[in-house]
Amino acid sequence: MSEAVSKTFPVEQSPHEVLARVFGHAGFRGLQEEIVNHIVGSGDALVLMPTGGGKSICYQVPALCLPGMGVVISPLIALMEDQVAQLCQSGVRAVALTSNLGRADSQAARGAIDAGELEILYVSPERLLTDSLLEQLDRSEIALFAIDEAHCVSQWGHDFRTEYRKLAMLADRFPSVPRIALTATADEVTRRDIVDQLRLERARVFIASFNRPNIHYRVRAKDNPKRQVLEFIKSAHPGEAGIVYAMSRKSVDRMAVYLEKEGVRALPYHAGLDAQTRTRNHQRFIMEEGVVIVATIAFGMGIDKPDVRFVAHMDMPKSFEAYYQETGRAGRDGLSADAFMVYGLQDLALLRGLMEESTAPEAVRRVEHRKLEALLGYCETPRCRRQVLLEYFGEQIDPCGNCDTCLEPVELIDASRETRLVLSAIHRCGESFGTRHIVDVLVGKNTEKVQRFRHERLNVFGMGHHLKDRQWQGILRQLVALGMIRVDLENHNVLRLGPRDRVMPVLREEATVSLRKDAGRPAPKAKTRAERKAAIPYEIALPEDRALFEALRSKRLKIAQAQNLPAYIVFNDATLVEFVRQRPSSEAEFAEISGVGKSKLERYGKTFLEVIALS
Ligand code: ADP
Ligand code: ZN
């Protein structure tokens, strides 16, 4: 590359200057600064950071500081286009070389690469690995390679892509170019796989905390999931964007119709819908304000929308990892958001059933079962949920103050007697019956089945009449979570006793069992956002502030629509909230706000200052 060309890059800029000028941020967050300095110093890196942790800055800033063009490899066109739109708004010369790009644009992009005019290039692995592009990159100056969603190299991950494996060749072909791989998938196996498969042996590994303090966690026993989720949305998030996850396509369709009927703007998303409908619903979710997507897990990667205010689960996901990933789509902008789940033992039975049917090797299935049990323990825990969640990922924290068990502490009671009753009912019934029947026996209901098996003659029959069905179900769930009871899936989900060393001490009255007092209590009404202590203030309580926020929001939407862009690309909610709180009255003050870089100041400063001045 010639001298004249490389001078078009602002190579003298320090990372801090780039961060402030381009992205409008006053400082780096968490590990960002260390990572950026490491890359700028020509090191390789593996970055594990939760969704919303600020991964893009980790490669975008070094790409702009180092001479040459940054090449970002990403698995999805939607992700690439979103990032490119954001960068262009910030005045960065970025292009996504995808099949969506017309022939002329594509040629222009290739020309810009040759002329050394492009600062950041986004590309899929397939496209990158074509001879013609590789040869072009050989001739160009490359600042770095960033491999986004790097867990795609791992067969253990949920998004395995064969082409990602071939990216190992970058190590040989571009030995002096720093490489940075990034992912939000934390587990050890995936991490090792990324290092091996991408040949990142020399990379420094950066592991950020997986805590997402702005997400409020809440779990309820499943009673009427459709209504429970509806009430949650109506009380805590009316008119806001969110995702509702359900296990089956059928329940997705039904829930979307139900919500729509109840006045919530909801759209379905699952693999059974034709591609056009899926794309349209996804687009509306991104471009419009306040749309709720009801989806199976098919709706996942590629949702970069920062202002998703809640994620609700109507069924239990199949592992902690899945739960963490799915809930992580809430509140990427750092403003307060909710993760709400209803679950029941029937979910567990169903999920285990699916696992039994799978053809995966025995060892893999055992791991899957353990993961499922860990999640059940989370659902039933009387402890801080965030503590349990993060412990699973190997992190210790103090009780968080922003989950249901912290805010409405559960009382533990000695349920040793109830536990003995349950265990003996299961035992006396020959470990051959499911939850329903065991509860009937405990409360002494004379059902047809009870009569058929003469279970009214058992000692334990009716011994549990002091509690309601629902309370017994809650106790059973907790005992499954504690491993005292096993659900036998190979055999019609009948309940069996857990291992002797757990069960016998309780039966012999040598050990006690503490359970949550609230087991089976009807779910208390979800608290509204204003009643809750939010980790990060999002509440705009004063009416005049609210009015200004709405005015800014509608201005933003107009500007975005005129450019056919999602509203958050103009400014995200976090930046709007700052406008309201600080009411900048000059361009200099406006520029101080996080999210306002030089380019956005020039584009939108005047317009937004006018709105603020009028309020
Ligand atoms: P990830 O890719 O890790 O999910 P993003 O890169 O999309 O996260 O960043 C999440 C949000 O955090 C974005 O809205 C971004 O503007 C914001 N953000 C990132 N870094 C900073 C920073 N240093 N200061 C302020 N906001 C930041
Ligand atoms: Zn907590």
Side-chain angles (χ1 to χ4, degrees):
M1 185 182 282
S2 76
E3 259 299 281
V5 167
S6 64
K7 282 219 176 87
T8 60
F9 292 101
V11 294
E12 311 77 11
Q13 294 248 339
S14 77
H16 266 280
E17 283 164 342
V18 169
L19 184 72
R21 177 180 55 88
V22 179
F23 300 95
H25 299 316
F28 287 105
R29 268 193 199 158
L31 295 173
Q32 281 175 338
E33 181 159 25
E34 254 183 283
I35 297 167
V36 167
N37 286 335
H38 181 71
I39 304 289
V40 170
S42 224
D44 292 341
L46 168 59
V47 172
L48 302 149
M49 218 183 247
T51 313
K55 282 186 286 300
S56 13
I57 293 287
C58 299
Y59 55 83
Q60 288 169 348
V61 169
L64 298 176
C65 291
L66 291 167
M69 171 180 75
V71 178
V72 184
I73 299 136
S74 168
L76 278 185
I77 292 184
L79 285 181
M80 293 191 242
E81 290 182 339
D82 193 81
Q83 296 251 342
V84 166
Q86 307 228 33
L87 287 169
C88 290
Q89 287 283 313
S90 299
V92 176
R93 285 163 290 161
V95 165
L97 207 49
T98 68
S99 49
N100 280 1
L101 217 56
R103 209 186 145 78
D105 286 340
S106 199
Q107 260 165 9
R110 304 289 288 253
I113 298 174
D114 273 337
E117 284 164 359
L118 213 55
E119 291 170 295
I120 303 187
L121 173 73
Y122 280 77
V123 67
S124 68
E126 297 82 349
R127 179 64 81 95
L128 175 73
L129 295 165
T130 57
D131 287 336
S132 88
L133 187 55
L134 283 173
E135 280 160 20
Q136 196 177 11
L137 296 184
D138 284 337
R139 302 193 294 270
S140 313
E141 191 170 12
I142 311 290
L144 56 83
F145 287 104
I147 303 166
D148 205 3
E149 313 286 351
H151 58 274
C152 290
V153 298
S154 174
Q155 233 154 1
W156 295 97
H158 26 80
D159 302 310
F160 177 57
R161 305 257 173 149
T162 354
E163 307 77 26
Y164 257 73
R165 295 250 162 120
K166 302 195 187 128
L167 295 174
M169 56 83 75
L170 294 175
D172 287 331
R173 188 143 176 171
F174 303 92
S176 59
V177 178
R179 290 175 301 143
I180 169 171
L182 309 100
T183 176
T185 302
D187 63 277
E188 184 66 38
V189 207
T190 312
R191 192 187 315 166
R192 267 203 308 267
D193 233 11
I194 295 174
V195 170
D196 293 347
Q197 299 291 344
L198 293 179
R199 306 204 18 219
L200 282 167
E201 303 83 3
R202 281 202 300 272
R204 203 171 131 190
V205 181
F206 295 88
I207 304 176
S209 165
F210 273 67
N211 188 9
R212 300 283 311 280
N214 60 315
I215 300 183
H216 171 85
Y217 297 95
R218 201 186 307 178
V219 180
R220 292 282 179 255
K222 191 185 278 195
D223 168 18
N224 177 337
K226 285 203 307 208
R227 209 191 51 229
Q228 286 172 295
V229 169
L230 172 72
E231 274 173 10
F232 159 73
I233 296 175
K234 285 200 152 168
S235 64
H237 296 284
E240 295 185 325
I243 307 172
V244 175
Y245 281 111
M247 209 177 326
S248 74
R249 295 175 187 180
K250 208 151 70 195
S251 59
V252 163
D253 287 332
R254 280 201 217 121
M255 182 63 174
V257 171
Y258 174 77
L259 286 178
E260 194 66 45
K261 205 178 81 226
E262 296 288 338
V264 177
R265 283 170 66 204
L267 298 168
Y269 191 103
H270 57 69
L273 296 169
D274 62 88
Q276 210 185 347
T277 311
R278 274 206 315 264
T279 311
R280 195 175 54 232
N281 291 355
H282 185 183
Q283 268 321 91
R284 286 190 52 194
F285 177 65
I286 304 265
M287 306 288 280
E288 296 175 18
E289 305 246 9
V291 173
V292 173
I293 278 276
V294 187
T296 57
I297 49 168
F299 191 63
M301 225 180 19
I303 317 165
D304 240 348
K305 190 174 164 64
D307 55 354
V308 174
R309 294 269 67 86
F310 68 88
V311 169
H313 282 93
M314 297 178 68
D315 304 295
M316 197 161 130
K318 71 176 186 349
S319 67
F320 242 133
E321 284 87 350
Y323 175 71
Y324 181 78
Q325 279 251 335
E326 285 155 23
T327 54
R329 296 185 179 124
R332 290 170 74 111
D333 54 12
L335 300 175
S336 69
D338 267 296
F340 177 74
M341 165 159 64
V342 295
Y343 85 100
L345 276 189
Q346 62 276 36
D347 297 349
L348 197 69
L350 206 67
L351 286 166
R352 284 206 181 142
L354 292 177
M355 287 173 188
E356 297 302 327
E357 278 167 26
S358 100
T359 51
E362 182 56 29
V364 173
R365 283 196 292 170
R366 255 206 311 278
V367 172
E368 287 180 344
H369 277 229
R370 264 211 304 282
K371 289 184 171 182
L372 190 55
E373 264 151 31
L375 187 56
L376 179 69
Y378 167 83
C379 292
E380 287 296 345
T381 189
R383 299 170 54 211
C384 166
R385 292 208 197 272
R386 198 180 310 271
Q387 276 186 326
V388 176
L389 186 59
L390 290 175
E391 259 168 33
Y392 182 80
F393 294 111
E395 270 181 64
Q396 310 289 331
I397 56 154
D398 289 332
C400 74
N402 190 29
C403 71
D404 55 357
T405 47
C406 278
L407 292 172
E408 307 147 22
V410 290
E411 213 181 309
L412 290 181
I413 48 163
D414 180 357
S416 308
R417 175 166 177 266
E418 283 74 15
T419 304
R420 281 196 298 275
L421 286 178
V422 168
L423 295 176
S424 96
I426 292 172
H427 177 63
R428 296 285 165 211
C429 292
E431 301 187 63
S432 318
F433 294 86
T435 314
R436 181 73 264 157
H437 184 71
I438 297 297
V439 171
D440 288 342
V441 168
L442 285 165
V443 298
K445 220 179 265 170
N446 221 337
T447 63
E448 188 254 327
K449 212 177 197 170
V450 163
Q451 288 170 8
R452 179 146 38 101
F453 292 96
R454 298 282 172 100
H455 282 165
E456 77 281 0
R457 293 187 181 177
L458 298 177
N459 260 344
V460 60
F461 185 76
M463 294 267 276
H465 65 90
H466 61 293
L467 296 180
K468 296 204 167 56
D469 288 21
R470 192 206 278 273
Q471 291 172 304
W472 281 115
Q473 275 154 12
I475 290 173
L476 285 171
R477 259 196 328 267
Q478 294 192 65
L479 292 176
V480 173
L482 289 173
M484 302 252 195
I485 306 179
R486 239 167 15 91
V487 183
D488 185 347
L489 297 149
E490 257 130 60
N491 212 337
H492 308 288
N493 304 329
V494 305
L495 300 182
R496 295 182 185 283
L497 298 186
R500 280 181 68 82
D501 57 333
R502 292 227 188 161
V503 170
M504 289 319 286
V506 179
L507 286 177
R508 290 202 203 107
E509 303 192 29
E510 289 162 6
T512 57
V513 182
S514 299
L515 296 181
R516 304 162 59 122
K517 190 182 174 190
D518 64 347
R521 199 178 58 181
K525 262 225 151 55
K527 291 195 173 178
T528 64
R529 218 206 264 127
E531 288 169 307
R532 278 194 346 249
K533 171 180 147 237
I536 292 167
Y538 173 62
E539 285 61 58
I540 303 178
L542 299 171
E544 62 268 30
D545 286 353
R546 189 84 229 167
L548 175 55
F549 185 74
E550 290 307 331
L552 293 168
R553 217 151 83 129
S554 81
K555 178 60 77 188
R556 173 179 73 175
L557 189 63
K558 274 211 200 88
I559 294 175
Q561 278 172 343
Q563 303 176 72
N564 198 22
L565 288 173
Y568 61 78
I569 286 189
V570 174
F571 285 123
N572 68 20
D573 283 359
T575 302
L576 292 196
V577 168
E578 284 308 301
F579 289 161
V580 173
R581 287 171 46 176
Q582 305 193 21
R583 301 199 179 232
S585 60
S586 66
E587 295 213 348
E589 283 173 20
F590 194 81
E592 285 296 300
I593 286 175
S594 193
V596 182
K598 189 162 166 286
S599 159
K600 288 194 179 176
L601 173 69
E602 283 162 12
R603 276 170 214 248
Y604 309 124
K606 257 207 190 65
T607 319
F608 281 85
L609 279 168
E610 273 167 23
V611 177
I612 296 165
L614 281 174
S615 74

mmCIF file with all atom_site columns, all heavy atoms in Angstrom, residues 7 384 479 600:
data_model
loop_
_atom_site.group_PDB
_atom_site.id
_atom_site.type_symbol
_atom_site.label_atom_id
_atom_site.label_alt_id
_atom_site.label_comp_id
_atom_site.label_asym_id
_atom_site.label_entity_id
_atom_site.label_seq_id
_atom_site.pdbx_PDB_ins_code
_atom_site.Cartn_x
_atom_site.Cartn_y
_atom_site.Cartn_z
_atom_site.occupancy
_atom_site.B_iso_or_equiv
_atom_site.pdbx_formal_charge
_atom_site.auth_seq_id
_atom_site.auth_comp_id
_atom_site.auth_asym_id
_atom_site.auth_atom_id
_atom_site.pdbx_PDB_model_num
ATOM 1  N N   . LYS A 1 7   ? -2.124  7.483   4.545  1.00 0.00 ? 7   LYS A N   1
ATOM 2  C CA  . LYS A 1 7   ? -2.301  8.756   5.265  1.00 0.00 ? 7   LYS A CA  1
ATOM 3  C C   . LYS A 1 7   ? -3.774  9.129   5.433  1.00 0.00 ? 7   LYS A C   1
ATOM 4  O O   . LYS A 1 7   ? -4.106  9.975   6.243  1.00 0.00 ? 7   LYS A O   1
ATOM 5  C CB  . LYS A 1 7   ? -1.563  9.879   4.530  1.00 0.00 ? 7   LYS A CB  1
ATOM 6  C CG  . LYS A 1 7   ? -0.073  9.854   4.781  1.00 0.00 ? 7   LYS A CG  1
ATOM 7  C CD  . LYS A 1 7   ? 0.481   11.272  4.927  1.00 0.00 ? 7   LYS A CD  1
ATOM 8  C CE  . LYS A 1 7   ? 1.950   11.254  5.271  1.00 0.00 ? 7   LYS A CE  1
ATOM 9  N NZ  . LYS A 1 7   ? 2.801   11.182  4.049  1.00 0.00 ? 7   LYS A NZ  1
ATOM 10 N N   . CYS A 1 384 ? -30.679 -15.888 46.407 1.00 0.00 ? 384 CYS A N   1
ATOM 11 C CA  . CYS A 1 384 ? -30.639 -14.881 45.346 1.00 0.00 ? 384 CYS A CA  1
ATOM 12 C C   . CYS A 1 384 ? -30.456 -15.600 44.005 1.00 0.00 ? 384 CYS A C   1
ATOM 13 O O   . CYS A 1 384 ? -29.538 -16.394 43.831 1.00 0.00 ? 384 CYS A O   1
ATOM 14 C CB  . CYS A 1 384 ? -29.466 -13.940 45.584 1.00 0.00 ? 384 CYS A CB  1
ATOM 15 S SG  . CYS A 1 384 ? -29.054 -12.920 44.157 1.00 0.00 ? 384 CYS A SG  1
ATOM 16 N N   . LEU A 1 479 ? -38.935 -31.112 45.871 1.00 0.00 ? 479 LEU A N   1
ATOM 17 C CA  . LEU A 1 479 ? -38.258 -32.367 46.202 1.00 0.00 ? 479 LEU A CA  1
ATOM 18 C C   . LEU A 1 479 ? -37.566 -32.964 44.972 1.00 0.00 ? 479 LEU A C   1
ATOM 19 O O   . LEU A 1 479 ? -36.513 -33.580 45.094 1.00 0.00 ? 479 LEU A O   1
ATOM 20 C CB  . LEU A 1 479 ? -39.248 -33.370 46.817 1.00 0.00 ? 479 LEU A CB  1
ATOM 21 C CG  . LEU A 1 479 ? -39.768 -32.953 48.210 1.00 0.00 ? 479 LEU A CG  1
ATOM 22 C CD1 . LEU A 1 479 ? -40.821 -33.937 48.706 1.00 0.00 ? 479 LEU A CD1 1
ATOM 23 C CD2 . LEU A 1 479 ? -38.626 -32.844 49.218 1.00 0.00 ? 479 LEU A CD2 1
ATOM 24 N N   . LYS A 1 600 ? -22.571 12.197  14.816 1.00 0.00 ? 600 LYS A N   1
ATOM 25 C CA  . LYS A 1 600 ? -23.969 12.348  15.221 1.00 0.00 ? 600 LYS A CA  1
ATOM 26 C C   . LYS A 1 600 ? -24.259 13.764  15.707 1.00 0.00 ? 600 LYS A C   1
ATOM 27 O O   . LYS A 1 600 ? -25.367 14.270  15.557 1.00 0.00 ? 600 LYS A O   1
ATOM 28 C CB  . LYS A 1 600 ? -24.321 11.320  16.293 1.00 0.00 ? 600 LYS A CB  1
ATOM 29 C CG  . LYS A 1 600 ? -24.402 9.921   15.707 1.00 0.00 ? 600 LYS A CG  1
ATOM 30 C CD  . LYS A 1 600 ? -25.061 8.941   16.642 1.00 0.00 ? 600 LYS A CD  1
ATOM 31 C CE  . LYS A 1 600 ? -25.106 7.575   15.964 1.00 0.00 ? 600 LYS A CE  1
ATOM 32 N NZ  . LYS A 1 600 ? -25.662 6.549   16.853 1.00 0.00 ? 600 LYS A NZ  1
#
